[in-house]
Amino acid sequence: MTTVGILGGGQLARMMVLAGAPLGLRFVVFDPAADACAGQIAPLQVGAFDDNAALAEFAAKVDVITFDFENVPAASARWLAERRPVYPNPAALAVAQDRLSEKTLFQELGIPLPPFADIDSREALAARVAEFGTPCILKTRRLGYDGKGQFRIRSQADIDAAWQALGAQAGKTGLILEGFVAFDREVSVVAVRGRDGEFRAWPLTGNWHVDGVLSASLAPAEVTAAQQATAIDYARRVAEHLDYVGVFALELFCRGDALLANEMAPRVHNSGHWTSDGAETSQFENHVRAVLGLPLGDTRVLGYASMLNWLGQMPDAKPVLAEAAGHWHDYGKQPREGRKVGHANLRADSPLALAEALQRVGDALGRQAQVAPVVETLHRTGMTPG
Ligand code: AMP
């Protein structure tokens, strides 16, 4: 009996446990919070990520270790890696934890991205804003996610406010300034690499964010065959360079034919949640397979698939469950403003059938604005010959 240890016990761990159970696996999740939602379906060890005694106890219970949370201190990941196999490897995790090292890597690998600069003072900020032009975005280098730790600088007049908001982080998480990309759409590559180097990617996913947080996804994304191939090639370059094992996501901006990298997430990703009900093999199952050195499953999409994120509190499940291929994912979390508490997956064989299903769900739940950009994209796809 193999036991997989997961650092972080949120919804991602929960979905890995659900996907790994049919493979005969056991899991132990490790989280600082006693109410971590994966703890409802797997043994939970409560502990701090930097508590070596707790980590030693955890390591003793498991055969292999992975992550649901990328901000586990790199030193803890390295410490564990001396005791148990850890995938992805701690060096890869460390790169992905820091926007500056991640973007420097993209640049070294020839992956296009918006201009960026390390910012360590107000003067450096002012100089780089003048260089990049406005708008631009000041972000914390580490520990930011879902648009948190970001300040949009719309004009030179915002520099003081930006420094006031984030300047104190310069000596802590570090800061990075990025040029703003007036993108047409956002896409992500969700990909997996096995222990033996086998690489597979799901079709690109189109993503819509609201206030920096994912709201809806659609696969396949509305991209050209060339963009699809290019994006997957970028993901492969990153994975091979880092000797990455497991699932990861590479987020990209599309502007015309151009693709610009934004960031990578060294874990299963919200933009791959549709794969649970819309792909031959889900990201969760393939992550577990990769970590264990098992053959990887096929990543093809079964028709057209969409995911709607539920933030704050769960809506009524019935309109989704009434759909032919509507699936409900409730993470078992307490409601809280802005918190990711669940999602719905919908699938259909044709773009128009999926658009209709999404519209019915959007109307029934009063979520017309959430489904609108996906429905609009599906209508365009449905009208396009071929
Ligand atoms: P991030 O945490 O970097 O993924 O940012 C969250 C969201 O903010 C992204 O998905 C974009 O919608 C937006 N965003 C972040 N960086 C940029 C940028 N350089 N240009 C335009 N939009 C951005």
PDB file of all heavy atoms in Angstrom, residues 99 114 137 139 146-147 150 152 178-181 183 186 209 212 251 253 262-263, ligand 1:
ATOM      1  N   ARG A  99       8.504  35.405  -8.524  1.00  0.00           N
ATOM      2  CA  ARG A  99       8.183  35.910  -9.863  1.00  0.00           C
ATOM      3  C   ARG A  99       9.424  36.352 -10.626  1.00  0.00           C
ATOM      4  O   ARG A  99       9.477  36.232 -11.847  1.00  0.00           O
ATOM      5  CB  ARG A  99       7.208  37.096  -9.760  1.00  0.00           C
ATOM      6  CG  ARG A  99       5.811  36.734  -9.293  1.00  0.00           C
ATOM      7  CD  ARG A  99       4.914  37.976  -9.330  1.00  0.00           C
ATOM      8  NE  ARG A  99       3.653  37.764  -8.647  1.00  0.00           N
ATOM      9  CZ  ARG A  99       2.551  37.271  -9.212  1.00  0.00           C
ATOM     10  NH1 ARG A  99       2.567  36.913 -10.484  1.00  0.00           N
ATOM     11  NH2 ARG A  99       1.442  37.130  -8.519  1.00  0.00           N
ATOM     12  N   PRO A 114       6.144  40.101 -20.903  1.00  0.00           N
ATOM     13  CA  PRO A 114       6.178  41.558 -20.790  1.00  0.00           C
ATOM     14  C   PRO A 114       7.455  42.006 -20.086  1.00  0.00           C
ATOM     15  O   PRO A 114       8.073  41.223 -19.359  1.00  0.00           O
ATOM     16  CB  PRO A 114       4.942  41.897 -19.942  1.00  0.00           C
ATOM     17  CG  PRO A 114       4.372  40.630 -19.460  1.00  0.00           C
ATOM     18  CD  PRO A 114       5.026  39.498 -20.166  1.00  0.00           C
ATOM     19  N   ILE A 137       2.238  47.208 -13.623  1.00  0.00           N
ATOM     20  CA  ILE A 137       1.767  46.560 -12.390  1.00  0.00           C
ATOM     21  C   ILE A 137       2.942  46.268 -11.469  1.00  0.00           C
ATOM     22  O   ILE A 137       3.925  45.648 -11.891  1.00  0.00           O
ATOM     23  CB  ILE A 137       1.039  45.229 -12.684  1.00  0.00           C
ATOM     24  CG1 ILE A 137      -0.111  45.444 -13.676  1.00  0.00           C
ATOM     25  CG2 ILE A 137       0.479  44.618 -11.406  1.00  0.00           C
ATOM     26  CD1 ILE A 137      -1.045  44.273 -13.803  1.00  0.00           C
ATOM     27  N   LYS A 139       4.097  44.160  -8.295  1.00  0.00           N
ATOM     28  CA  LYS A 139       3.661  42.930  -7.611  1.00  0.00           C
ATOM     29  C   LYS A 139       4.704  42.510  -6.582  1.00  0.00           C
ATOM     30  O   LYS A 139       5.895  42.771  -6.773  1.00  0.00           O
ATOM     31  CB  LYS A 139       3.514  41.761  -8.601  1.00  0.00           C
ATOM     32  CG  LYS A 139       2.523  41.973  -9.723  1.00  0.00           C
ATOM     33  CD  LYS A 139       2.466  40.710 -10.614  1.00  0.00           C
ATOM     34  CE  LYS A 139       1.491  40.893 -11.761  1.00  0.00           C
ATOM     35  NZ  LYS A 139       1.431  39.709 -12.633  1.00  0.00           N
ATOM     36  N   ASP A 146      -3.753  35.053  -6.925  1.00  0.00           N
ATOM     37  CA  ASP A 146      -5.099  35.541  -7.198  1.00  0.00           C
ATOM     38  C   ASP A 146      -5.189  37.070  -7.127  1.00  0.00           C
ATOM     39  O   ASP A 146      -6.125  37.628  -6.558  1.00  0.00           O
ATOM     40  CB  ASP A 146      -6.105  34.935  -6.215  1.00  0.00           C
ATOM     41  CG  ASP A 146      -6.417  33.475  -6.551  1.00  0.00           C
ATOM     42  OD1 ASP A 146      -6.061  33.052  -7.667  1.00  0.00           O
ATOM     43  OD2 ASP A 146      -7.004  32.781  -5.714  1.00  0.00           O
ATOM     44  N   GLY A 147      -4.194  37.734  -7.688  1.00  0.00           N
ATOM     45  CA  GLY A 147      -4.249  39.197  -7.755  1.00  0.00           C
ATOM     46  C   GLY A 147      -3.919  39.885  -6.434  1.00  0.00           C
ATOM     47  O   GLY A 147      -3.955  41.115  -6.343  1.00  0.00           O
ATOM     48  N   GLN A 150      -0.760  43.061  -5.419  1.00  0.00           N
ATOM     49  CA  GLN A 150      -0.527  43.727  -6.703  1.00  0.00           C
ATOM     50  C   GLN A 150      -1.097  45.135  -6.653  1.00  0.00           C
ATOM     51  O   GLN A 150      -2.106  45.370  -6.008  1.00  0.00           O
ATOM     52  CB  GLN A 150      -1.236  42.970  -7.837  1.00  0.00           C
ATOM     53  CG  GLN A 150      -0.813  41.536  -7.942  1.00  0.00           C
ATOM     54  CD  GLN A 150      -1.270  40.887  -9.228  1.00  0.00           C
ATOM     55  OE1 GLN A 150      -1.855  41.525 -10.086  1.00  0.00           O
ATOM     56  NE2 GLN A 150      -0.984  39.600  -9.364  1.00  0.00           N
ATOM     57  N   ARG A 152      -1.913  48.277  -9.467  1.00  0.00           N
ATOM     58  CA  ARG A 152      -1.906  48.747 -10.844  1.00  0.00           C
ATOM     59  C   ARG A 152      -1.560  50.230 -10.890  1.00  0.00           C
ATOM     60  O   ARG A 152      -2.249  51.043 -10.271  1.00  0.00           O
ATOM     61  CB  ARG A 152      -3.290  48.552 -11.445  1.00  0.00           C
ATOM     62  CG  ARG A 152      -3.242  47.632 -12.639  1.00  0.00           C
ATOM     63  CD  ARG A 152      -4.609  47.328 -13.121  1.00  0.00           C
ATOM     64  NE  ARG A 152      -4.749  45.867 -13.132  1.00  0.00           N
ATOM     65  CZ  ARG A 152      -5.459  45.230 -14.021  1.00  0.00           C
ATOM     66  NH1 ARG A 152      -6.147  45.896 -14.932  1.00  0.00           N
ATOM     67  NH2 ARG A 152      -5.526  43.914 -13.983  1.00  0.00           N
ATOM     68  N   GLU A 178       5.983  45.053 -13.654  1.00  0.00           N
ATOM     69  CA  GLU A 178       5.744  44.433 -14.968  1.00  0.00           C
ATOM     70  C   GLU A 178       5.026  45.396 -15.883  1.00  0.00           C
ATOM     71  O   GLU A 178       4.127  46.119 -15.433  1.00  0.00           O
ATOM     72  CB  GLU A 178       4.820  43.216 -14.835  1.00  0.00           C
ATOM     73  CG  GLU A 178       5.394  42.060 -14.084  1.00  0.00           C
ATOM     74  CD  GLU A 178       4.358  40.950 -13.941  1.00  0.00           C
ATOM     75  OE1 GLU A 178       3.375  40.913 -14.722  1.00  0.00           O
ATOM     76  OE2 GLU A 178       4.532  40.144 -13.035  1.00  0.00           O
ATOM     77  N   GLY A 179       5.390  45.376 -17.145  1.00  0.00           N
ATOM     78  CA  GLY A 179       4.624  46.116 -18.143  1.00  0.00           C
ATOM     79  C   GLY A 179       3.235  45.524 -18.231  1.00  0.00           C
ATOM     80  O   GLY A 179       3.041  44.328 -17.996  1.00  0.00           O
ATOM     81  N   PHE A 180       2.264  46.365 -18.535  1.00  0.00           N
ATOM     82  CA  PHE A 180       0.879  45.895 -18.615  1.00  0.00           C
ATOM     83  C   PHE A 180       0.623  45.367 -20.019  1.00  0.00           C
ATOM     84  O   PHE A 180       1.007  45.976 -21.011  1.00  0.00           O
ATOM     85  CB  PHE A 180      -0.067  47.062 -18.311  1.00  0.00           C
ATOM     86  CG  PHE A 180      -1.505  46.656 -18.277  1.00  0.00           C
ATOM     87  CD1 PHE A 180      -2.053  46.113 -17.128  1.00  0.00           C
ATOM     88  CD2 PHE A 180      -2.315  46.798 -19.402  1.00  0.00           C
ATOM     89  CE1 PHE A 180      -3.386  45.725 -17.092  1.00  0.00           C
ATOM     90  CE2 PHE A 180      -3.647  46.411 -19.369  1.00  0.00           C
ATOM     91  CZ  PHE A 180      -4.181  45.881 -18.214  1.00  0.00           C
ATOM     92  N   VAL A 181      -0.024  44.224 -20.109  1.00  0.00           N
ATOM     93  CA  VAL A 181      -0.339  43.632 -21.408  1.00  0.00           C
ATOM     94  C   VAL A 181      -1.829  43.854 -21.702  1.00  0.00           C
ATOM     95  O   VAL A 181      -2.679  43.386 -20.954  1.00  0.00           O
ATOM     96  CB  VAL A 181      -0.055  42.112 -21.413  1.00  0.00           C
ATOM     97  CG1 VAL A 181      -0.339  41.534 -22.795  1.00  0.00           C
ATOM     98  CG2 VAL A 181       1.376  41.841 -20.984  1.00  0.00           C
ATOM     99  N   PHE A 183      -4.190  42.472 -23.217  1.00  0.00           N
ATOM    100  CA  PHE A 183      -4.404  41.181 -23.877  1.00  0.00           C
ATOM    101  C   PHE A 183      -5.809  41.065 -24.472  1.00  0.00           C
ATOM    102  O   PHE A 183      -6.740  41.701 -24.008  1.00  0.00           O
ATOM    103  CB  PHE A 183      -4.141  40.037 -22.897  1.00  0.00           C
ATOM    104  CG  PHE A 183      -4.903  40.125 -21.597  1.00  0.00           C
ATOM    105  CD1 PHE A 183      -6.230  39.747 -21.517  1.00  0.00           C
ATOM    106  CD2 PHE A 183      -4.275  40.587 -20.440  1.00  0.00           C
ATOM    107  CE1 PHE A 183      -6.928  39.818 -20.315  1.00  0.00           C
ATOM    108  CE2 PHE A 183      -4.968  40.655 -19.232  1.00  0.00           C
ATOM    109  CZ  PHE A 183      -6.297  40.276 -19.174  1.00  0.00           C
ATOM    110  N   GLU A 186      -6.818  35.491 -22.068  1.00  0.00           N
ATOM    111  CA  GLU A 186      -5.837  34.799 -21.230  1.00  0.00           C
ATOM    112  C   GLU A 186      -6.023  33.295 -21.420  1.00  0.00           C
ATOM    113  O   GLU A 186      -7.154  32.807 -21.453  1.00  0.00           O
ATOM    114  CB  GLU A 186      -6.060  35.142 -19.758  1.00  0.00           C
ATOM    115  CG  GLU A 186      -5.716  36.577 -19.419  1.00  0.00           C
ATOM    116  CD  GLU A 186      -5.734  36.828 -17.924  1.00  0.00           C
ATOM    117  OE1 GLU A 186      -4.748  36.484 -17.257  1.00  0.00           O
ATOM    118  OE2 GLU A 186      -6.735  37.356 -17.424  1.00  0.00           O
ATOM    119  N   HIS A 209     -10.776  36.163 -15.702  1.00  0.00           N
ATOM    120  CA  HIS A 209     -10.557  36.543 -14.306  1.00  0.00           C
ATOM    121  C   HIS A 209     -11.439  37.729 -13.939  1.00  0.00           C
ATOM    122  O   HIS A 209     -11.705  38.593 -14.777  1.00  0.00           O
ATOM    123  CB  HIS A 209      -9.099  36.932 -14.070  1.00  0.00           C
ATOM    124  CG  HIS A 209      -8.142  35.792 -14.231  1.00  0.00           C
ATOM    125  ND1 HIS A 209      -7.637  35.411 -15.452  1.00  0.00           N
ATOM    126  CD2 HIS A 209      -7.620  34.935 -13.323  1.00  0.00           C
ATOM    127  CE1 HIS A 209      -6.843  34.364 -15.292  1.00  0.00           C
ATOM    128  NE2 HIS A 209      -6.811  34.047 -14.010  1.00  0.00           N
ATOM    129  N   GLY A 212      -8.666  39.688 -10.596  1.00  0.00           N
ATOM    130  CA  GLY A 212      -7.462  38.863 -10.449  1.00  0.00           C
ATOM    131  C   GLY A 212      -7.733  37.417 -10.076  1.00  0.00           C
ATOM    132  O   GLY A 212      -6.799  36.635  -9.954  1.00  0.00           O
ATOM    133  N   GLU A 251       0.634  30.202 -17.332  1.00  0.00           N
ATOM    134  CA  GLU A 251      -0.394  31.176 -17.712  1.00  0.00           C
ATOM    135  C   GLU A 251       0.188  32.145 -18.727  1.00  0.00           C
ATOM    136  O   GLU A 251       1.295  32.647 -18.549  1.00  0.00           O
ATOM    137  CB  GLU A 251      -0.862  31.951 -16.487  1.00  0.00           C
ATOM    138  CG  GLU A 251      -1.560  31.085 -15.454  1.00  0.00           C
ATOM    139  CD  GLU A 251      -2.091  31.917 -14.283  1.00  0.00           C
ATOM    140  OE1 GLU A 251      -2.855  32.858 -14.525  1.00  0.00           O
ATOM    141  OE2 GLU A 251      -1.705  31.621 -13.152  1.00  0.00           O
ATOM    142  N   PHE A 253      -0.683  35.410 -21.756  1.00  0.00           N
ATOM    143  CA  PHE A 253      -1.570  36.412 -22.341  1.00  0.00           C
ATOM    144  C   PHE A 253      -1.510  36.248 -23.855  1.00  0.00           C
ATOM    145  O   PHE A 253      -0.413  36.076 -24.408  1.00  0.00           O
ATOM    146  CB  PHE A 253      -1.090  37.829 -22.000  1.00  0.00           C
ATOM    147  CG  PHE A 253      -1.016  38.119 -20.517  1.00  0.00           C
ATOM    148  CD1 PHE A 253       0.185  38.500 -19.934  1.00  0.00           C
ATOM    149  CD2 PHE A 253      -2.152  38.048 -19.715  1.00  0.00           C
ATOM    150  CE1 PHE A 253       0.259  38.795 -18.575  1.00  0.00           C
ATOM    151  CE2 PHE A 253      -2.080  38.343 -18.361  1.00  0.00           C
ATOM    152  CZ  PHE A 253      -0.878  38.714 -17.788  1.00  0.00           C
ATOM    153  N   ASN A 262       2.922  34.861 -18.391  1.00  0.00           N
ATOM    154  CA  ASN A 262       2.675  35.599 -17.150  1.00  0.00           C
ATOM    155  C   ASN A 262       3.366  34.882 -15.997  1.00  0.00           C
ATOM    156  O   ASN A 262       4.344  35.371 -15.457  1.00  0.00           O
ATOM    157  CB  ASN A 262       1.172  35.756 -16.913  1.00  0.00           C
ATOM    158  CG  ASN A 262       0.865  36.427 -15.578  1.00  0.00           C
ATOM    159  OD1 ASN A 262       1.682  37.165 -15.043  1.00  0.00           O
ATOM    160  ND2 ASN A 262      -0.310  36.138 -15.011  1.00  0.00           N
ATOM    161  N   GLU A 263       2.864  33.716 -15.652  1.00  0.00           N
ATOM    162  CA  GLU A 263       3.516  33.006 -14.542  1.00  0.00           C
ATOM    163  C   GLU A 263       3.251  31.517 -14.635  1.00  0.00           C
ATOM    164  O   GLU A 263       2.398  31.072 -15.393  1.00  0.00           O
ATOM    165  CB  GLU A 263       3.013  33.543 -13.200  1.00  0.00           C
ATOM    166  CG  GLU A 263       1.533  33.313 -12.967  1.00  0.00           C
ATOM    167  CD  GLU A 263       1.114  33.672 -11.546  1.00  0.00           C
ATOM    168  OE1 GLU A 263       1.992  33.834 -10.687  1.00  0.00           O
ATOM    169  OE2 GLU A 263      -0.093  33.774 -11.305  1.00  0.00           O
TER     170      GLU A 263
HETATM  171  P1  AMP B   1      -1.246  36.960 -11.478  1.00  0.00           P
HETATM  172  O1  AMP B   1      -1.414  36.812 -10.005  1.00  0.00           O
HETATM  173  O2  AMP B   1       0.080  37.468 -11.891  1.00  0.00           O
HETATM  174  O3  AMP B   1      -1.659  35.740 -12.248  1.00  0.00           O
HETATM  175  O4  AMP B   1      -2.301  38.089 -11.902  1.00  0.00           O
HETATM  176  C1  AMP B   1      -3.705  37.886 -11.802  1.00  0.00           C
HETATM  177  C2  AMP B   1      -4.412  38.503 -13.006  1.00  0.00           C
HETATM  178  O5  AMP B   1      -4.119  39.925 -13.104  1.00  0.00           O
HETATM  179  C3  AMP B   1      -3.979  37.932 -14.333  1.00  0.00           C
HETATM  180  O6  AMP B   1      -4.635  36.730 -14.630  1.00  0.00           O
HETATM  181  C4  AMP B   1      -4.370  39.069 -15.270  1.00  0.00           C
HETATM  182  O7  AMP B   1      -5.765  39.068 -15.513  1.00  0.00           O
HETATM  183  C5  AMP B   1      -3.990  40.298 -14.475  1.00  0.00           C
HETATM  184  N1  AMP B   1      -2.583  40.651 -14.755  1.00  0.00           N
HETATM  185  C6  AMP B   1      -1.501  40.276 -14.049  1.00  0.00           C
HETATM  186  N2  AMP B   1      -0.362  40.746 -14.609  1.00  0.00           N
HETATM  187  C7  AMP B   1      -0.718  41.440 -15.710  1.00  0.00           C
HETATM  188  C8  AMP B   1       0.011  42.173 -16.710  1.00  0.00           C
HETATM  189  N3  AMP B   1       1.344  42.301 -16.683  1.00  0.00           N
HETATM  190  N4  AMP B   1      -0.724  42.753 -17.706  1.00  0.00           N
HETATM  191  C9  AMP B   1      -2.075  42.646 -17.726  1.00  0.00           C
HETATM  192  N5  AMP B   1      -2.812  41.995 -16.804  1.00  0.00           N
HETATM  193  C10 AMP B   1      -2.152  41.389 -15.802  1.00  0.00           C
END
